[in-house]
Amino acid sequence: MLNLMKMDLYRVFHSLSTWIIILFTVGIALFCVVMVQGDLDAMAEDPAYAQEMGQEFADSSDGNEDRNIGLYSESDPEWVEGEIEAGEFISSQIQSGLLTLLVVIFAAVFASAEQKNGYIKNIAGQLSNRGILALSKLAASAVQIFLMFLTFILVTGAAGKLLWGGRFTLGSLTDMLSFLGAQYLLNLGIAALILFFCTLTKSSAFSMTAGIMMVMGLFIPIYSIINRAVYEIKPSWDFDISLLVPDGNIGLAGIHASSEILVRAAAVGAVYVILCSAAAVLIMKKRDVR
């Protein structure tokens, strides 16, 4: 198992797609800083727009905002002239789903690459338990996602410091670590789901498309239908399926979200990691390798 993980980690660090994803992570971090500055300029010129954005930012930070279709983030009007806390800024950008979109793409490309280059066929015959192939891929994905988070945080911090100088402050390190831990597990849960889709369908196109649709919020109408069906069956049950899926929690688990929301988000991410990896292991064990 350890040797297999080392091989997958070698593939991660020596794959062109990995570094392309990292490069895009850098680009997205810079893009977020520039776009927020543009938003702050617009709020400085339009007080009504600033007031509207202030309410939206407060709702998203507290985890009370209803999820909408698409990728977007809010800026705090207080950032126009006041301090910009790094934790709040990073939180608003990660909650937008931009980084998760890259996680989906990486997971699909990484899982499908071994099908194309014959890696699975060459190595599977040497293993007594083919199921560990799925676990090894998940471990490698966990390392890659950590690198993506680290790159995003460092580039965002550096760009923010260069652009805003002393107004860009660190803020609460404890709150930041709690938020980042929950978001990391949610993104790892989505990566595990994509790896499961790739294992099940052997199709990177299907897996990537499903993941992108999920991150973009295109499953919201389906969630609404399920919620409505449950309500019709049991009206007294306050059920919301979006709270039980990773994509539904990413936009809620902000740096100022309650401990209940953060714990739930971390639990949802961890459960998806366990269930999806277990399902992928079972498929790998039962399926003939070709």
Side-chain angles (χ1 to χ4, degrees):
M1 175 65 177
L2 184 59
N3 289 334
L4 187 59
M5 290 178 61
K6 289 180 179 179
M7 292 175 63
D8 274 329
L9 286 174
Y10 180 88
R11 290 176 54 226
V12 167
F13 288 109
H14 290 79
S15 172
L16 179 61
S17 61
T18 297
W19 299 109
I20 291 177
I21 291 293
I22 293 295
L23 183 61
F24 271 93
T25 302
V26 172
I28 283 181
L30 296 175
F31 172 80
C32 289
V33 173
V34 173
M35 291 304 295
V36 166
Q37 180 57 49
D39 216 17
L40 296 181
D41 291 339
M43 285 189 284
E45 297 175 359
D46 187 352
Y49 175 63
Q51 184 176 5
E52 178 184 351
M53 290 298 294
Q55 184 59 49
E56 291 181 0
F57 182 82
D59 290 340
S60 63
S61 297
D62 295 337
N64 297 320
E65 186 179 40
D66 293 332
R67 190 179 176 210
N68 298 314
I69 295 177
L71 302 178
Y72 63 95
S73 64
E74 292 88 12
S75 302
D76 189 349
E78 294 184 1
W79 294 349
V80 174
E81 296 181 354
E83 290 186 348
I84 303 174
E85 287 192 3
E88 288 186 350
F89 181 83
I90 293 171
S91 173
S92 66
Q93 306 314 310
I94 292 181
Q95 284 180 267
S96 72
L98 281 170
L99 191 58
T100 306
L101 199 62
L102 292 183
V103 169
V104 167
I105 295 172
F106 167 78
V109 171
F110 179 70
S112 62
E114 60 188 25
Q115 300 287 347
K116 297 178 181 179
N117 62 22
Y119 170 81
I120 285 287
K121 184 176 181 180
N122 293 333
I123 199 68
Q126 305 176 33
L127 300 174
S128 57
N129 182 6
R130 293 199 302 267
I132 63 175
L133 286 167
L135 295 179
S136 178
K137 285 187 290 185
L138 181 62
S141 296
V143 173
Q144 172 67 5
I145 293 172
F146 176 80
L147 291 176
M148 291 171 65
F149 266 67
L150 183 61
T151 300
F152 184 83
I153 293 168
L154 292 178
V155 175
T156 300
K161 198 65 176 178
L162 287 174
L163 184 60
W164 296 307
R167 293 201 299 123
F168 192 71
T169 60
L170 180 61
S172 173
L173 186 60
T174 302
D175 290 345
M176 188 186 300
L177 291 177
S178 299
F179 149 74
L180 289 173
Q183 287 287 346
Y184 176 80
L185 285 174
L186 287 171
N187 280 268
L188 184 58
I190 288 182
L193 182 62
I194 299 303
L195 291 172
F196 164 70
F197 284 156
C198 287
T199 304
L200 178 66
T201 65
K202 295 185 178 181
S203 171
S204 60
F206 170 83
S207 305
M208 192 181 300
T209 302
I212 291 174
M213 291 177 64
M214 180 171 58
V215 175
M216 293 288 291
L218 296 178
F219 287 174
I220 291 177
I222 299 176
Y223 297 157
S224 298
I225 293 173
I226 295 175
N227 291 338
R228 184 62 184 176
V230 172
Y231 176 79
E232 293 294 335
I233 297 173
K234 193 171 183 179
S236 61
W237 190 11
D238 187 16
F239 178 80
D240 186 355
I241 194 173
S242 67
L243 301 181
L244 303 178
V245 293
D247 54 297
N249 282 274
I250 286 177
L252 300 177
I255 193 169
H256 293 306
S258 66
S259 58
E260 179 184 356
I261 292 176
L262 292 177
V263 169
R264 183 190 66 215
V268 168
V271 167
Y272 268 77
V273 170
I274 295 172
L275 293 181
C276 292
S277 59
V281 166
L282 183 61
I283 293 173
M284 291 296 297
K285 291 172 68 174
K286 298 295 183 181
R287 174 183 290 167
D288 292 332
V289 178
R290 299 176 181 177

CSV table of all heavy atoms in Angstrom, one decimal, residues 235-285:
chain,number,residue,atom,x,y,z
A,235,PRO,N,-44.7,16.6,6.6
A,235,PRO,CA,-44.6,18.0,6.7
A,235,PRO,C,-43.8,18.5,8.0
A,235,PRO,O,-43.3,19.6,8.0
A,235,PRO,CB,-46.0,18.5,6.7
A,235,PRO,CG,-46.8,17.3,6.1
A,235,PRO,CD,-46.0,16.1,6.5
A,236,SER,N,-43.9,17.7,9.0
A,236,SER,CA,-43.2,18.2,10.3
A,236,SER,C,-41.7,18.0,10.3
A,236,SER,O,-41.0,18.5,11.2
A,236,SER,CB,-43.8,17.4,11.5
A,236,SER,OG,-43.5,16.0,11.3
A,237,TRP,N,-41.2,17.4,9.3
A,237,TRP,CA,-39.8,17.1,9.2
A,237,TRP,C,-39.1,18.3,8.5
A,237,TRP,O,-39.3,18.5,7.3
A,237,TRP,CB,-39.5,15.8,8.5
A,237,TRP,CG,-38.0,15.3,8.6
A,237,TRP,CD1,-37.1,15.9,9.4
A,237,TRP,CD2,-37.4,14.3,7.9
A,237,TRP,NE1,-35.9,15.2,9.3
A,237,TRP,CE2,-36.1,14.2,8.3
A,237,TRP,CE3,-37.9,13.3,7.0
A,237,TRP,CZ2,-35.2,13.3,7.8
A,237,TRP,CZ3,-37.0,12.4,6.5
A,237,TRP,CH2,-35.7,12.4,6.9
A,238,ASP,N,-38.2,19.0,9.1
A,238,ASP,CA,-37.5,20.1,8.5
A,238,ASP,C,-36.3,19.5,7.8
A,238,ASP,O,-35.2,19.6,8.3
A,238,ASP,CB,-37.1,21.1,9.6
A,238,ASP,CG,-36.4,22.4,9.0
A,238,ASP,OD1,-36.6,22.6,7.8
A,238,ASP,OD2,-35.7,23.1,9.7
A,239,PHE,N,-36.5,19.1,6.6
A,239,PHE,CA,-35.5,18.4,5.8
A,239,PHE,C,-35.0,19.2,4.7
A,239,PHE,O,-35.8,19.8,3.9
A,239,PHE,CB,-36.1,17.0,5.3
A,239,PHE,CG,-35.1,16.3,4.4
A,239,PHE,CD1,-34.1,15.5,5.0
A,239,PHE,CD2,-35.2,16.3,3.0
A,239,PHE,CE1,-33.2,14.7,4.2
A,239,PHE,CE2,-34.3,15.6,2.2
A,239,PHE,CZ,-33.3,14.8,2.9
A,240,ASP,N,-33.7,19.2,4.5
A,240,ASP,CA,-33.0,20.0,3.4
A,240,ASP,C,-31.8,19.1,2.9
A,240,ASP,O,-30.8,19.1,3.6
A,240,ASP,CB,-32.6,21.3,3.8
A,240,ASP,CG,-32.1,22.2,2.6
A,240,ASP,OD1,-32.0,21.6,1.5
A,240,ASP,OD2,-31.8,23.4,2.8
A,241,ILE,N,-32.0,18.5,1.8
A,241,ILE,CA,-30.9,17.6,1.3
A,241,ILE,C,-29.7,18.3,0.9
A,241,ILE,O,-28.6,17.7,1.0
A,241,ILE,CB,-31.5,16.7,0.1
A,241,ILE,CG1,-30.5,15.6,-0.2
A,241,ILE,CG2,-31.6,17.6,-1.1
A,241,ILE,CD1,-31.0,14.6,-1.2
A,242,SER,N,-29.8,19.6,0.6
A,242,SER,CA,-28.6,20.3,0.3
A,242,SER,C,-27.6,20.5,1.4
A,242,SER,O,-26.4,20.7,1.2
A,242,SER,CB,-29.0,21.7,-0.2
A,242,SER,OG,-29.5,22.5,0.8
A,243,LEU,N,-28.1,20.3,2.6
A,243,LEU,CA,-27.2,20.3,3.8
A,243,LEU,C,-26.5,19.0,4.0
A,243,LEU,O,-25.6,18.9,4.9
A,243,LEU,CB,-28.0,20.7,5.1
A,243,LEU,CG,-28.8,22.0,5.1
A,243,LEU,CD1,-29.5,22.2,6.4
A,243,LEU,CD2,-27.9,23.1,4.8
A,244,LEU,N,-26.8,18.0,3.2
A,244,LEU,CA,-26.2,16.7,3.4
A,244,LEU,C,-25.3,16.3,2.2
A,244,LEU,O,-24.9,15.2,2.1
A,244,LEU,CB,-27.3,15.6,3.5
A,244,LEU,CG,-28.4,15.8,4.6
A,244,LEU,CD1,-29.4,14.7,4.5
A,244,LEU,CD2,-27.7,15.8,5.9
A,245,VAL,N,-25.0,17.3,1.4
A,245,VAL,CA,-24.1,17.1,0.2
A,245,VAL,C,-23.0,18.1,0.3
A,245,VAL,O,-23.2,19.3,0.8
A,245,VAL,CB,-24.8,17.2,-1.1
A,245,VAL,CG1,-25.8,16.1,-1.3
A,245,VAL,CG2,-25.6,18.6,-1.2
A,246,PRO,N,-21.8,17.8,-0.2
A,246,PRO,CA,-20.6,18.7,-0.1
A,246,PRO,C,-20.9,20.1,-0.7
A,246,PRO,O,-20.6,21.1,-0.2
A,246,PRO,CB,-19.5,18.0,-0.7
A,246,PRO,CG,-19.9,16.5,-0.6
A,246,PRO,CD,-21.4,16.5,-0.7
A,247,ASP,N,-21.4,20.1,-1.9
A,247,ASP,CA,-21.6,21.3,-2.7
A,247,ASP,C,-22.6,22.2,-2.0
A,247,ASP,O,-22.5,23.4,-2.1
A,247,ASP,CB,-22.1,21.0,-4.1
A,247,ASP,CG,-23.3,20.1,-4.2
A,247,ASP,OD1,-23.2,19.0,-3.7
A,247,ASP,OD2,-24.4,20.6,-4.7
A,248,GLY,N,-23.5,21.7,-1.2
A,248,GLY,CA,-24.5,22.5,-0.5
A,248,GLY,C,-23.9,23.2,0.7
A,248,GLY,O,-24.4,24.2,1.2
A,249,ASN,N,-22.8,22.6,1.2
A,249,ASN,CA,-22.2,23.2,2.4
A,249,ASN,C,-21.0,24.1,2.2
A,249,ASN,O,-20.6,24.9,3.0
A,249,ASN,CB,-21.7,22.0,3.3
A,249,ASN,CG,-22.8,21.4,4.1
A,249,ASN,OD1,-23.1,21.8,5.2
A,249,ASN,ND2,-23.3,20.3,3.5
A,250,ILE,N,-20.4,24.1,1.0
A,250,ILE,CA,-19.3,24.9,0.7
A,250,ILE,C,-19.6,26.4,0.8
A,250,ILE,O,-18.8,27.2,1.3
A,250,ILE,CB,-18.7,24.6,-0.7
A,250,ILE,CG1,-18.0,23.2,-0.7
A,250,ILE,CG2,-17.8,25.7,-1.2
A,250,ILE,CD1,-17.4,22.8,-2.0
A,251,GLY,N,-20.8,26.8,0.3
A,251,GLY,CA,-21.1,28.2,0.3
A,251,GLY,C,-21.6,28.6,1.7
A,251,GLY,O,-21.7,29.8,2.0
A,252,LEU,N,-21.9,27.7,2.6
A,252,LEU,CA,-22.4,28.0,3.9
A,252,LEU,C,-21.3,28.1,5.0
A,252,LEU,O,-21.3,28.8,5.9
A,252,LEU,CB,-23.4,27.0,4.4
A,252,LEU,CG,-24.7,26.9,3.5
A,252,LEU,CD1,-25.6,25.8,4.1
A,252,LEU,CD2,-25.4,28.2,3.5
A,253,ALA,N,-20.2,27.3,4.8
A,253,ALA,CA,-19.2,27.1,5.8
A,253,ALA,C,-18.1,28.2,5.7
A,253,ALA,O,-17.0,28.0,5.3
A,253,ALA,CB,-18.5,25.8,5.7
A,254,GLY,N,-18.5,29.5,6.0
A,254,GLY,CA,-17.6,30.6,6.0
A,254,GLY,C,-16.9,30.8,7.3
A,254,GLY,O,-17.1,30.1,8.3
A,255,ILE,N,-16.0,31.7,7.3
A,255,ILE,CA,-15.1,31.9,8.5
A,255,ILE,C,-16.0,32.4,9.7
A,255,ILE,O,-15.6,32.2,10.8
A,255,ILE,CB,-14.0,32.9,8.1
A,255,ILE,CG1,-13.0,32.9,9.2
A,255,ILE,CG2,-14.6,34.3,7.9
A,255,ILE,CD1,-11.7,33.6,8.9
A,256,HIS,N,-17.1,33.0,9.4
A,256,HIS,CA,-17.9,33.5,10.6
A,256,HIS,C,-19.1,32.6,10.8
A,256,HIS,O,-20.0,33.0,11.5
A,256,HIS,CB,-18.4,35.0,10.3
A,256,HIS,CG,-17.2,35.9,10.3
A,256,HIS,ND1,-16.4,36.0,11.4
A,256,HIS,CD2,-16.8,36.9,9.4
A,256,HIS,CE1,-15.5,37.0,11.2
A,256,HIS,NE2,-15.7,37.5,10.0
A,257,ALA,N,-19.2,31.5,10.1
A,257,ALA,CA,-20.3,30.6,10.3
A,257,ALA,C,-20.2,30.0,11.7
A,257,ALA,O,-19.2,29.9,12.4
A,257,ALA,CB,-20.2,29.4,9.3
A,258,SER,N,-21.4,29.6,12.2
A,258,SER,CA,-21.4,29.0,13.6
A,258,SER,C,-20.7,27.7,13.6
A,258,SER,O,-20.4,27.0,12.6
A,258,SER,CB,-22.9,28.8,14.0
A,258,SER,OG,-23.5,27.8,13.2
A,259,SER,N,-20.3,27.3,14.8
A,259,SER,CA,-19.6,26.0,15.0
A,259,SER,C,-20.5,24.9,14.5
A,259,SER,O,-19.9,23.9,14.0
A,259,SER,CB,-19.2,25.8,16.5
A,259,SER,OG,-20.4,25.9,17.3
A,260,GLU,N,-21.8,25.0,14.7
A,260,GLU,CA,-22.7,23.9,14.2
A,260,GLU,C,-22.5,23.7,12.7
A,260,GLU,O,-22.5,22.6,12.2
A,260,GLU,CB,-24.1,24.3,14.6
A,260,GLU,CG,-25.1,23.2,14.1
A,260,GLU,CD,-26.6,23.6,14.4
A,260,GLU,OE1,-26.7,24.7,15.1
A,260,GLU,OE2,-27.5,22.9,14.0
A,261,ILE,N,-22.5,24.8,12.0
A,261,ILE,CA,-22.4,24.7,10.5
A,261,ILE,C,-21.1,24.1,10.1
A,261,ILE,O,-21.0,23.3,9.2
A,261,ILE,CB,-22.6,26.1,9.9
A,261,ILE,CG1,-24.1,26.6,10.1
A,261,ILE,CG2,-22.2,26.1,8.4
A,261,ILE,CD1,-24.3,28.0,9.5
A,262,LEU,N,-20.0,24.6,10.8
A,262,LEU,CA,-18.7,24.1,10.4
A,262,LEU,C,-18.5,22.6,10.7
A,262,LEU,O,-17.9,21.9,10.0
A,262,LEU,CB,-17.6,24.9,11.1
A,262,LEU,CG,-17.5,26.4,10.7
A,262,LEU,CD1,-16.4,27.1,11.6
A,262,LEU,CD2,-17.1,26.5,9.2
A,263,VAL,N,-19.0,22.2,11.9
A,263,VAL,CA,-18.9,20.8,12.3
A,263,VAL,C,-19.7,19.9,11.3
A,263,VAL,O,-19.3,18.9,10.9
A,263,VAL,CB,-19.4,20.6,13.7
A,263,VAL,CG1,-19.6,19.1,14.0
A,263,VAL,CG2,-18.5,21.2,14.7
A,264,ARG,N,-20.9,20.4,10.9
A,264,ARG,CA,-21.7,19.7,10.0
A,264,ARG,C,-21.0,19.6,8.6
A,264,ARG,O,-21.0,18.5,8.0
A,264,ARG,CB,-23.1,20.3,9.8
A,264,ARG,CG,-24.0,19.6,8.8
A,264,ARG,CD,-25.3,20.4,8.5
A,264,ARG,NE,-24.9,21.6,7.7
A,264,ARG,CZ,-25.5,22.7,7.8
A,264,ARG,NH1,-26.5,22.9,8.7
A,264,ARG,NH2,-25.1,23.8,7.1
A,265,ALA,N,-20.4,20.7,8.2
A,265,ALA,CA,-19.7,20.7,6.9
A,265,ALA,C,-18.6,19.7,6.9
A,265,ALA,O,-18.4,18.9,6.0
A,265,ALA,CB,-19.2,22.1,6.6
A,266,ALA,N,-17.8,19.7,8.0
A,266,ALA,CA,-16.7,18.8,8.1
A,266,ALA,C,-17.1,17.3,8.1
A,266,ALA,O,-16.5,16.5,7.5
A,266,ALA,CB,-15.9,19.1,9.4
A,267,ALA,N,-18.3,17.1,8.8
A,267,ALA,CA,-18.8,15.7,8.9
A,267,ALA,C,-19.3,15.3,7.6
A,267,ALA,O,-19.1,14.1,7.2
A,267,ALA,CB,-19.9,15.7,10.0
A,268,VAL,N,-20.0,16.1,6.8
A,268,VAL,CA,-20.4,15.8,5.5
A,268,VAL,C,-19.3,15.4,4.6
A,268,VAL,O,-19.3,14.4,3.9
A,268,VAL,CB,-21.3,16.9,4.9
A,268,VAL,CG1,-21.5,16.7,3.4
A,268,VAL,CG2,-22.6,17.1,5.6
A,269,GLY,N,-18.2,16.3,4.6
A,269,GLY,CA,-17.1,16.0,3.8
A,269,GLY,C,-16.4,14.6,4.2
A,269,GLY,O,-16.1,13.8,3.3
A,270,ALA,N,-16.3,14.4,5.5
A,270,ALA,CA,-15.6,13.1,5.9
A,270,ALA,C,-16.5,11.9,5.5
A,270,ALA,O,-15.9,10.9,5.1
A,270,ALA,CB,-15.4,13.2,7.4
A,271,VAL,N,-17.8,12.0,5.7
A,271,VAL,CA,-18.7,10.9,5.3
A,271,VAL,C,-18.6,10.6,3.8
A,271,VAL,O,-18.5,9.4,3.4
A,271,VAL,CB,-20.1,11.2,5.7
A,271,VAL,CG1,-21.1,10.2,5.1
A,271,VAL,CG2,-20.3,11.2,7.2
A,272,TYR,N,-18.5,11.6,3.0
A,272,TYR,CA,-18.4,11.4,1.5
A,272,TYR,C,-17.1,10.8,1.2
A,272,TYR,O,-17.0,9.9,0.3
A,272,TYR,CB,-18.6,12.7,0.8
A,272,TYR,CG,-20.1,12.9,0.4
A,272,TYR,CD1,-21.0,13.3,1.3
A,272,TYR,CD2,-20.5,12.7,-0.9
A,272,TYR,CE1,-22.3,13.5,1.0
A,272,TYR,CE2,-21.8,12.8,-1.3
A,272,TYR,CZ,-22.7,13.3,-0.3
A,272,TYR,OH,-24.0,13.4,-0.7
A,273,VAL,N,-16.0,11.2,1.9
A,273,VAL,CA,-14.7,10.6,1.7
A,273,VAL,C,-14.8,9.1,2.0
A,273,VAL,O,-14.3,8.2,1.2
A,273,VAL,CB,-13.6,11.3,2.5
A,273,VAL,CG1,-12.3,10.5,2.5
A,273,VAL,CG2,-13.4,12.7,2.0
A,274,ILE,N,-15.4,8.7,3.1
A,274,ILE,CA,-15.4,7.3,3.5
A,274,ILE,C,-16.3,6.5,2.6
A,274,ILE,O,-15.9,5.4,2.1
A,274,ILE,CB,-15.9,7.2,5.0
A,274,ILE,CG1,-14.9,7.9,5.9
A,274,ILE,CG2,-16.2,5.8,5.4
A,274,ILE,CD1,-15.4,8.0,7.3
A,275,LEU,N,-17.5,7.0,2.3
A,275,LEU,CA,-18.5,6.3,1.5
A,275,LEU,C,-18.0,6.1,0.1
A,275,LEU,O,-18.1,5.0,-0.5
A,275,LEU,CB,-19.9,6.9,1.6
A,275,LEU,CG,-20.6,6.9,2.9
A,275,LEU,CD1,-22.0,7.6,2.8
A,275,LEU,CD2,-20.8,5.5,3.4
A,276,CYS,N,-17.6,7.2,-0.5
A,276,CYS,CA,-17.2,7.1,-1.9
A,276,CYS,C,-15.9,6.3,-2.1
A,276,CYS,O,-15.8,5.5,-3.1
A,276,CYS,CB,-16.9,8.5,-2.5
A,276,CYS,SG,-18.4,9.5,-2.6
A,277,SER,N,-15.0,6.4,-1.2
A,277,SER,CA,-13.8,5.6,-1.3
A,277,SER,C,-14.1,4.1,-1.1
A,277,SER,O,-13.5,3.2,-1.8
A,277,SER,CB,-12.7,6.0,-0.3
A,277,SER,OG,-13.2,6.0,1.0
A,278,ALA,N,-15.0,3.8,-0.1
A,278,ALA,CA,-15.4,2.4,0.1
A,278,ALA,C,-16.1,1.8,-1.1
A,278,ALA,O,-15.9,0.7,-1.5
A,278,ALA,CB,-16.3,2.3,1.3
A,279,ALA,N,-17.0,2.6,-1.8
A,279,ALA,CA,-17.7,2.2,-3.0
A,279,ALA,C,-16.7,2.0,-4.1
A,279,ALA,O,-16.8,1.0,-4.9
A,279,ALA,CB,-18.7,3.2,-3.4
A,280,ALA,N,-15.7,2.9,-4.3
A,280,ALA,CA,-14.7,2.7,-5.3
A,280,ALA,C,-13.8,1.5,-5.1
A,280,ALA,O,-13.5,0.7,-6.0
A,280,ALA,CB,-13.8,3.9,-5.4
A,281,VAL,N,-13.5,1.2,-3.8
A,281,VAL,CA,-12.7,0.0,-3.5
A,281,VAL,C,-13.5,-1.2,-3.8
A,281,VAL,O,-12.9,-2.2,-4.4
A,281,VAL,CB,-12.4,0.0,-2.0
A,281,VAL,CG1,-11.9,-1.4,-1.5
A,281,VAL,CG2,-11.3,1.0,-1.6
A,282,LEU,N,-14.8,-1.3,-3.5
A,282,LEU,CA,-15.6,-2.4,-3.8
A,282,LEU,C,-15.7,-2.7,-5.4
A,282,LEU,O,-15.6,-3.8,-5.8
A,282,LEU,CB,-17.0,-2.2,-3.3
A,282,LEU,CG,-18.0,-3.4,-3.5
A,282,LEU,CD1,-17.5,-4.6,-2.7
A,282,LEU,CD2,-19.4,-3.0,-2.9
A,283,ILE,N,-15.8,-1.6,-6.1
A,283,ILE,CA,-15.9,-1.7,-7.6
A,283,ILE,C,-14.6,-2.3,-8.1
A,283,ILE,O,-14.6,-3.2,-9.0
A,283,ILE,CB,-16.2,-0.4,-8.2
A,283,ILE,CG1,-17.7,0.0,-7.9
A,283,ILE,CG2,-16.1,-0.5,-9.7
A,283,ILE,CD1,-18.0,1.4,-8.3
A,284,MET,N,-13.5,-1.7,-7.7
A,284,MET,CA,-12.2,-2.2,-8.1
A,284,MET,C,-11.9,-3.7,-7.8
A,284,MET,O,-11.3,-4.4,-8.6
A,284,MET,CB,-11.1,-1.3,-7.5
A,284,MET,CG,-11.0,0.1,-8.0
A,284,MET,SD,-10.6,0.3,-9.8
A,284,MET,CE,-9.0,-0.4,-9.8
A,285,LYS,N,-12.4,-4.1,-6.7
A,285,LYS,CA,-12.2,-5.5,-6.3
A,285,LYS,C,-13.0,-6.5,-7.1
A,285,LYS,O,-12.6,-7.6,-7.4
A,285,LYS,CB,-12.5,-5.7,-4.8
A,285,LYS,CG,-11.5,-5.0,-3.9
A,285,LYS,CD,-12.0,-5.0,-2.4
A,285,LYS,CE,-12.0,-6.5,-1.9
A,285,LYS,NZ,-12.3,-6.5,-0.4
